[in-house]
Amino acid sequence: MAALLELLEDVAGRPRRDFRQSRGPASAALLETGPVAYWRLDELAGPWAVDATGGNRDAVYEPAVAYFLEGPRSGDFCTDGETNRAAHFAGGRLRSRIADLGDNYSISLWLWNGMPVDARKVSGWIFSRGRDHGIGPHGDHLGIGGAAGHAGKLIFLHGGDAEGAKPLAGRTQIPRWTWSHVVFVRDGRTVRVYLNGNSQPEIEAKLPAGRPAGFDRLFFAGRCDNQSNWEGRLDEIAVFDRALSPEEVAELAVR
């Protein structure tokens, strides 16, 4: 394929065009909300996921990812009949570092679960904030429950399994092989997780005080210790350095 592309460049007399998805109304509205990073996951190959804000906060794909598969709501995220594209994670994660995020932040993303909800203890971890290769008492971890409990429902774990922490769970079972919108909001010690724009959070929790400085690693499609990584697609991941309001969450889901 690389050789063919080079030959086509020679015949055409100009370099190949770098592909970038068109920006539909939902993508434009998300950018207007002011994320500090926004990864559309429309790449044809890794290892870089480009930050659509232009802020140079590119993320890194780990191995075991399939690219350029169909994503959610093409008519909203793209224009002129273009198909929205997403990445399919099969054990690898998306890694990023945002040093100045703090304890007031939000994550907006679309997910598509490919794992049977009774196949393992946790169906898969969607988002994790912690130290790479380990898990400690202060991390934030969002996933979907499995055979160990809360099968098919959103779960949130603060801290790690080794500390005896038990995940909190949402109310709604998320259908397999369908796209759903999830927003994780941390407002200091308060955590809220919203599903598909519902004004009532699926999960609401008050966290214990304290978090070590320099907690700047974000992981998507897996937990920071690589346990029960995501088997499915993610798309349109946005990170905000503030707590989104329920009204903003609803806007992101319905546009």
Side-chain angles (χ1 to χ4, degrees):
M1 181 61 71
L4 287 172
L5 287 172
E6 289 177 2
L7 288 170
L8 287 170
E9 287 178 322
D10 288 341
V11 171
R14 61 177 184 269
R16 72 196 73 177
R17 178 175 62 89
D18 288 334
F19 174 79
R20 283 291 175 265
Q21 284 190 144
S22 57
R23 186 174 294 173
S27 180
L30 195 156
L31 283 167
E32 289 173 3
T33 311
V36 295
Y38 176 25
W39 304 293
R40 301 205 62 189
L41 306 190
D42 59 353
E43 286 76 22
L44 282 81
W48 299 105
V50 176
D51 178 10
T53 70
N56 297 319
R57 296 184 186 267
D58 294 350
V60 178
Y61 292 104
E62 295 178 343
V65 177
Y67 301 94
F68 212 65
L69 301 180
E70 186 172 354
R73 293 173 44 180
S74 294
D76 294 327
F77 283 105
C78 299
T79 60
D80 300 327
E82 183 181 339
T83 299
N84 189 25
R85 297 297 177 177
H88 185 109
F89 295 85
R93 304 171 300 179
L94 184 74
R95 295 184 282 110
S96 180
R97 181 177 183 180
I98 301 180
D100 52 353
L101 198 57
D103 282 340
N104 294 279
Y105 71 98
S106 304
I107 306 290
S108 171
L109 57 80
W110 288 80
L111 62 84
W112 181 100
N113 180 30
M115 173 65 71
V117 295
D118 59 353
R120 58 186 182 185
K121 290 184 178 180
V122 175
S123 292
W125 293 102
I126 305 160
F127 159 71
S128 181
R129 186 181 185 189
R131 303 193 188 283
D132 201 4
H133 308 300
I135 191 166
H138 303 289
D140 295 336
H141 317 290
L142 182 68
I144 290 183
H150 318 298
K153 299 177 181 179
L154 289 168
I155 57 172
F156 168 70
L157 178 66
H158 180 70
D161 307 300
E163 287 75 31
K166 299 296 182 182
L168 301 173
R171 305 179 305 275
T172 305
Q173 189 165 33
I174 298 175
R176 190 181 175 201
W177 301 323
T178 62
W179 283 102
S180 296
H181 181 243
V182 173
V183 178
F184 173 92
V185 177
R186 178 156 179 182
D187 187 2
R189 292 172 56 193
T190 300
V191 165
R192 298 181 180 91
V193 184
Y194 297 88
L195 178 63
N196 292 326
N198 193 327
S199 61
Q200 295 299 314
E202 287 283 309
I203 299 171
E204 187 166 8
K206 194 77 170 180
L207 305 183
R211 180 181 65 82
F215 220 56
D216 59 355
R217 305 301 171 107
L218 303 181
F219 304 90
F220 301 91
R223 206 166 69 173
C224 55
D225 61 347
N226 264 311
Q227 291 295 314
S228 300
N229 286 355
W230 187 247
E231 298 280 346
R233 302 179 195 180
L234 296 179
D235 200 27
E236 309 298 334
I237 300 175
V239 180
F240 299 84
D241 59 358
R242 58 188 176 85
L244 295 178
S245 68
E247 294 76 17
E248 289 175 312
V249 170
E251 284 286 310
L252 291 178
V254 302
R255 284 185 181 268

